[in-house]
Amino acid sequence: MEDLTERVFTHMRTIRELVPTPWVRYEFLAAVSRLRGRTITLTPVESTALRRLPCGLWVALDDRDEIVYDAASSEYQIDQAIMHEVGHMVLDHHAVGEPFSAIAELLPDIDLTALKFVMTRSNFDDEQESEAELFADLVMSSAVSPFRRSSVMTDFWGRQ
């Protein structure tokens, strides 16, 4: 397996155990928060600036993480954005380049002095984006699949 794929599978195996059945996004985020030792909050925003982005944002602050998403998104798109941003978190990705310039517009109440970085998608060919997207796809399929606990899936994922 490629290094990228193996790395994603390793982290996905840990996180998929946190996926509640039935799927409840807030329960999932609470479990990931406990695992990471950092609070994760969801922040829906209505903004034309965010709508130009293909998914959500991970805003890493000194004391917590925020996942920002377009309030006009479908439930599936919200969950996909959550999984993608959680992928960045657990894969220990970090933003590179210029900070997201519209952060003050999107989150006017944010303390910019507590801002560590904002993870945005600027390049679809970026390795971090590829890892986060693969992670999101794998965890999402695990969360919604009716066969998730079947013997075939147990054999495939290696569950005991």
PDB file of all heavy atoms in Angstrom, residues 123-143:
ATOM      1  N   ASN A 123      -5.743  23.600  -2.951  1.00  0.00           N
ATOM      2  CA  ASN A 123      -5.202  22.847  -4.071  1.00  0.00           C
ATOM      3  C   ASN A 123      -5.708  21.416  -3.969  1.00  0.00           C
ATOM      4  O   ASN A 123      -5.408  20.718  -3.013  1.00  0.00           O
ATOM      5  CB  ASN A 123      -3.666  22.886  -4.000  1.00  0.00           C
ATOM      6  CG  ASN A 123      -3.028  22.135  -5.134  1.00  0.00           C
ATOM      7  OD1 ASN A 123      -3.678  21.414  -5.885  1.00  0.00           O
ATOM      8  ND2 ASN A 123      -1.731  22.296  -5.263  1.00  0.00           N
ATOM      9  N   PHE A 124      -6.472  20.982  -4.959  1.00  0.00           N
ATOM     10  CA  PHE A 124      -7.051  19.639  -4.921  1.00  0.00           C
ATOM     11  C   PHE A 124      -5.998  18.548  -5.073  1.00  0.00           C
ATOM     12  O   PHE A 124      -6.260  17.398  -4.773  1.00  0.00           O
ATOM     13  CB  PHE A 124      -8.122  19.478  -6.000  1.00  0.00           C
ATOM     14  CG  PHE A 124      -9.397  20.192  -5.666  1.00  0.00           C
ATOM     15  CD1 PHE A 124      -9.644  21.459  -6.176  1.00  0.00           C
ATOM     16  CD2 PHE A 124     -10.332  19.612  -4.832  1.00  0.00           C
ATOM     17  CE1 PHE A 124     -10.821  22.119  -5.860  1.00  0.00           C
ATOM     18  CE2 PHE A 124     -11.508  20.269  -4.515  1.00  0.00           C
ATOM     19  CZ  PHE A 124     -11.751  21.531  -5.029  1.00  0.00           C
ATOM     20  N   ASP A 125      -4.819  18.887  -5.565  1.00  0.00           N
ATOM     21  CA  ASP A 125      -3.763  17.895  -5.748  1.00  0.00           C
ATOM     22  C   ASP A 125      -2.849  17.785  -4.531  1.00  0.00           C
ATOM     23  O   ASP A 125      -1.922  16.988  -4.525  1.00  0.00           O
ATOM     24  CB  ASP A 125      -2.915  18.241  -6.986  1.00  0.00           C
ATOM     25  CG  ASP A 125      -3.729  18.136  -8.260  1.00  0.00           C
ATOM     26  OD1 ASP A 125      -4.667  17.312  -8.287  1.00  0.00           O
ATOM     27  OD2 ASP A 125      -3.432  18.876  -9.206  1.00  0.00           O
ATOM     28  N   ASP A 126      -3.084  18.568  -3.517  1.00  0.00           N
ATOM     29  CA  ASP A 126      -2.270  18.585  -2.312  1.00  0.00           C
ATOM     30  C   ASP A 126      -2.384  17.245  -1.580  1.00  0.00           C
ATOM     31  O   ASP A 126      -3.464  16.680  -1.460  1.00  0.00           O
ATOM     32  CB  ASP A 126      -2.757  19.737  -1.424  1.00  0.00           C
ATOM     33  CG  ASP A 126      -1.986  19.841  -0.143  1.00  0.00           C
ATOM     34  OD1 ASP A 126      -0.927  20.479  -0.142  1.00  0.00           O
ATOM     35  OD2 ASP A 126      -2.464  19.273   0.860  1.00  0.00           O
ATOM     36  N   GLU A 127      -1.266  16.724  -1.070  1.00  0.00           N
ATOM     37  CA  GLU A 127      -1.276  15.427  -0.391  1.00  0.00           C
ATOM     38  C   GLU A 127      -2.155  15.448   0.861  1.00  0.00           C
ATOM     39  O   GLU A 127      -2.876  14.484   1.133  1.00  0.00           O
ATOM     40  CB  GLU A 127       0.145  15.016  -0.015  1.00  0.00           C
ATOM     41  CG  GLU A 127       0.206  13.624   0.586  1.00  0.00           C
ATOM     42  CD  GLU A 127       1.618  13.134   0.807  1.00  0.00           C
ATOM     43  OE1 GLU A 127       2.384  13.077  -0.179  1.00  0.00           O
ATOM     44  OE2 GLU A 127       1.948  12.818   1.961  1.00  0.00           O
ATOM     45  N   GLN A 128      -2.119  16.527   1.628  1.00  0.00           N
ATOM     46  CA  GLN A 128      -2.962  16.613   2.826  1.00  0.00           C
ATOM     47  C   GLN A 128      -4.441  16.559   2.451  1.00  0.00           C
ATOM     48  O   GLN A 128      -5.241  15.915   3.135  1.00  0.00           O
ATOM     49  CB  GLN A 128      -2.660  17.897   3.614  1.00  0.00           C
ATOM     50  CG  GLN A 128      -1.322  17.898   4.287  1.00  0.00           C
ATOM     51  CD  GLN A 128      -1.124  19.106   5.181  1.00  0.00           C
ATOM     52  OE1 GLN A 128      -0.620  18.952   6.273  1.00  0.00           O
ATOM     53  NE2 GLN A 128      -1.502  20.294   4.766  1.00  0.00           N
ATOM     54  N   GLU A 129      -4.806  17.235   1.370  1.00  0.00           N
ATOM     55  CA  GLU A 129      -6.199  17.207   0.932  1.00  0.00           C
ATOM     56  C   GLU A 129      -6.599  15.823   0.447  1.00  0.00           C
ATOM     57  O   GLU A 129      -7.702  15.362   0.723  1.00  0.00           O
ATOM     58  CB  GLU A 129      -6.441  18.252  -0.159  1.00  0.00           C
ATOM     59  CG  GLU A 129      -6.380  19.676   0.335  1.00  0.00           C
ATOM     60  CD  GLU A 129      -7.342  19.969   1.474  1.00  0.00           C
ATOM     61  OE1 GLU A 129      -8.474  19.418   1.493  1.00  0.00           O
ATOM     62  OE2 GLU A 129      -6.974  20.755   2.350  1.00  0.00           O
ATOM     63  N   SER A 130      -5.710  15.162  -0.246  1.00  0.00           N
ATOM     64  CA  SER A 130      -5.990  13.795  -0.705  1.00  0.00           C
ATOM     65  C   SER A 130      -6.185  12.862   0.482  1.00  0.00           C
ATOM     66  O   SER A 130      -7.097  12.035   0.491  1.00  0.00           O
ATOM     67  CB  SER A 130      -4.841  13.285  -1.576  1.00  0.00           C
ATOM     68  OG  SER A 130      -4.743  14.035  -2.751  1.00  0.00           O
ATOM     69  N   GLU A 131      -5.326  12.985   1.491  1.00  0.00           N
ATOM     70  CA  GLU A 131      -5.463  12.145   2.689  1.00  0.00           C
ATOM     71  C   GLU A 131      -6.779  12.432   3.398  1.00  0.00           C
ATOM     72  O   GLU A 131      -7.499  11.502   3.782  1.00  0.00           O
ATOM     73  CB  GLU A 131      -4.305  12.399   3.655  1.00  0.00           C
ATOM     74  CG  GLU A 131      -3.015  11.765   3.271  1.00  0.00           C
ATOM     75  CD  GLU A 131      -1.939  11.942   4.333  1.00  0.00           C
ATOM     76  OE1 GLU A 131      -2.028  12.876   5.171  1.00  0.00           O
ATOM     77  OE2 GLU A 131      -1.009  11.131   4.340  1.00  0.00           O
ATOM     78  N   ALA A 132      -7.109  13.710   3.593  1.00  0.00           N
ATOM     79  CA  ALA A 132      -8.335  14.066   4.308  1.00  0.00           C
ATOM     80  C   ALA A 132      -9.575  13.601   3.552  1.00  0.00           C
ATOM     81  O   ALA A 132     -10.544  13.139   4.165  1.00  0.00           O
ATOM     82  CB  ALA A 132      -8.388  15.576   4.553  1.00  0.00           C
ATOM     83  N   GLU A 133      -9.541  13.699   2.231  1.00  0.00           N
ATOM     84  CA  GLU A 133     -10.694  13.274   1.442  1.00  0.00           C
ATOM     85  C   GLU A 133     -10.859  11.758   1.473  1.00  0.00           C
ATOM     86  O   GLU A 133     -11.969  11.243   1.614  1.00  0.00           O
ATOM     87  CB  GLU A 133     -10.571  13.785   0.008  1.00  0.00           C
ATOM     88  CG  GLU A 133     -11.869  13.811  -0.743  1.00  0.00           C
ATOM     89  CD  GLU A 133     -12.942  14.707  -0.125  1.00  0.00           C
ATOM     90  OE1 GLU A 133     -12.639  15.646   0.633  1.00  0.00           O
ATOM     91  OE2 GLU A 133     -14.123  14.426  -0.410  1.00  0.00           O
ATOM     92  N   LEU A 134      -9.765  11.019   1.368  1.00  0.00           N
ATOM     93  CA  LEU A 134      -9.830   9.561   1.471  1.00  0.00           C
ATOM     94  C   LEU A 134     -10.343   9.159   2.856  1.00  0.00           C
ATOM     95  O   LEU A 134     -11.217   8.293   2.983  1.00  0.00           O
ATOM     96  CB  LEU A 134      -8.454   8.942   1.211  1.00  0.00           C
ATOM     97  CG  LEU A 134      -8.359   7.425   1.358  1.00  0.00           C
ATOM     98  CD1 LEU A 134      -9.324   6.707   0.429  1.00  0.00           C
ATOM     99  CD2 LEU A 134      -6.916   6.964   1.112  1.00  0.00           C
ATOM    100  N   PHE A 135      -9.824   9.787   3.893  1.00  0.00           N
ATOM    101  CA  PHE A 135     -10.268   9.531   5.260  1.00  0.00           C
ATOM    102  C   PHE A 135     -11.780   9.759   5.364  1.00  0.00           C
ATOM    103  O   PHE A 135     -12.516   8.910   5.882  1.00  0.00           O
ATOM    104  CB  PHE A 135      -9.515  10.444   6.230  1.00  0.00           C
ATOM    105  CG  PHE A 135      -9.961  10.313   7.646  1.00  0.00           C
ATOM    106  CD1 PHE A 135      -9.345   9.403   8.494  1.00  0.00           C
ATOM    107  CD2 PHE A 135     -10.993  11.086   8.147  1.00  0.00           C
ATOM    108  CE1 PHE A 135      -9.760   9.276   9.818  1.00  0.00           C
ATOM    109  CE2 PHE A 135     -11.413  10.965   9.460  1.00  0.00           C
ATOM    110  CZ  PHE A 135     -10.792  10.059  10.296  1.00  0.00           C
ATOM    111  N   ALA A 136     -12.251  10.915   4.876  1.00  0.00           N
ATOM    112  CA  ALA A 136     -13.678  11.243   4.958  1.00  0.00           C
ATOM    113  C   ALA A 136     -14.525  10.209   4.216  1.00  0.00           C
ATOM    114  O   ALA A 136     -15.547   9.761   4.740  1.00  0.00           O
ATOM    115  CB  ALA A 136     -13.920  12.639   4.387  1.00  0.00           C
ATOM    116  N   ASP A 137     -14.102   9.837   3.019  1.00  0.00           N
ATOM    117  CA  ASP A 137     -14.864   8.849   2.247  1.00  0.00           C
ATOM    118  C   ASP A 137     -14.958   7.519   2.976  1.00  0.00           C
ATOM    119  O   ASP A 137     -16.021   6.897   3.036  1.00  0.00           O
ATOM    120  CB  ASP A 137     -14.223   8.630   0.876  1.00  0.00           C
ATOM    121  CG  ASP A 137     -14.376   9.824  -0.055  1.00  0.00           C
ATOM    122  OD1 ASP A 137     -15.205  10.713   0.234  1.00  0.00           O
ATOM    123  OD2 ASP A 137     -13.647   9.860  -1.066  1.00  0.00           O
ATOM    124  N   LEU A 138     -13.851   7.077   3.549  1.00  0.00           N
ATOM    125  CA  LEU A 138     -13.835   5.789   4.244  1.00  0.00           C
ATOM    126  C   LEU A 138     -14.690   5.814   5.509  1.00  0.00           C
ATOM    127  O   LEU A 138     -15.456   4.884   5.776  1.00  0.00           O
ATOM    128  CB  LEU A 138     -12.401   5.383   4.587  1.00  0.00           C
ATOM    129  CG  LEU A 138     -11.523   5.019   3.398  1.00  0.00           C
ATOM    130  CD1 LEU A 138     -10.071   4.866   3.839  1.00  0.00           C
ATOM    131  CD2 LEU A 138     -12.024   3.748   2.721  1.00  0.00           C
ATOM    132  N   VAL A 139     -14.575   6.863   6.298  1.00  0.00           N
ATOM    133  CA  VAL A 139     -15.359   6.936   7.532  1.00  0.00           C
ATOM    134  C   VAL A 139     -16.834   7.134   7.210  1.00  0.00           C
ATOM    135  O   VAL A 139     -17.693   6.531   7.846  1.00  0.00           O
ATOM    136  CB  VAL A 139     -14.828   8.024   8.493  1.00  0.00           C
ATOM    137  CG1 VAL A 139     -15.700   8.129   9.735  1.00  0.00           C
ATOM    138  CG2 VAL A 139     -13.397   7.712   8.902  1.00  0.00           C
ATOM    139  N   MET A 140     -17.130   7.970   6.201  1.00  0.00           N
ATOM    140  CA  MET A 140     -18.530   8.172   5.816  1.00  0.00           C
ATOM    141  C   MET A 140     -19.161   6.870   5.345  1.00  0.00           C
ATOM    142  O   MET A 140     -20.296   6.569   5.700  1.00  0.00           O
ATOM    143  CB  MET A 140     -18.641   9.222   4.708  1.00  0.00           C
ATOM    144  CG  MET A 140     -18.511  10.651   5.174  1.00  0.00           C
ATOM    145  SD  MET A 140     -19.893  11.223   6.166  1.00  0.00           S
ATOM    146  CE  MET A 140     -21.162  11.360   4.932  1.00  0.00           C
ATOM    147  N   SER A 141     -18.437   6.100   4.557  1.00  0.00           N
ATOM    148  CA  SER A 141     -19.011   4.840   4.092  1.00  0.00           C
ATOM    149  C   SER A 141     -19.242   3.901   5.270  1.00  0.00           C
ATOM    150  O   SER A 141     -20.209   3.161   5.301  1.00  0.00           O
ATOM    151  CB  SER A 141     -18.140   4.186   3.028  1.00  0.00           C
ATOM    152  OG  SER A 141     -16.910   3.772   3.564  1.00  0.00           O
ATOM    153  N   SER A 142     -18.381   3.963   6.247  1.00  0.00           N
ATOM    154  CA  SER A 142     -18.543   3.154   7.448  1.00  0.00           C
ATOM    155  C   SER A 142     -19.752   3.611   8.255  1.00  0.00           C
ATOM    156  O   SER A 142     -20.478   2.810   8.817  1.00  0.00           O
ATOM    157  CB  SER A 142     -17.263   3.259   8.294  1.00  0.00           C
ATOM    158  OG  SER A 142     -17.419   2.603   9.517  1.00  0.00           O
ATOM    159  N   ALA A 143     -19.972   4.910   8.297  1.00  0.00           N
ATOM    160  CA  ALA A 143     -21.060   5.475   9.104  1.00  0.00           C
ATOM    161  C   ALA A 143     -22.427   5.197   8.505  1.00  0.00           C
ATOM    162  O   ALA A 143     -23.391   5.015   9.239  1.00  0.00           O
ATOM    163  CB  ALA A 143     -20.873   6.986   9.252  1.00  0.00           C
TER     164      ALA A 143
END
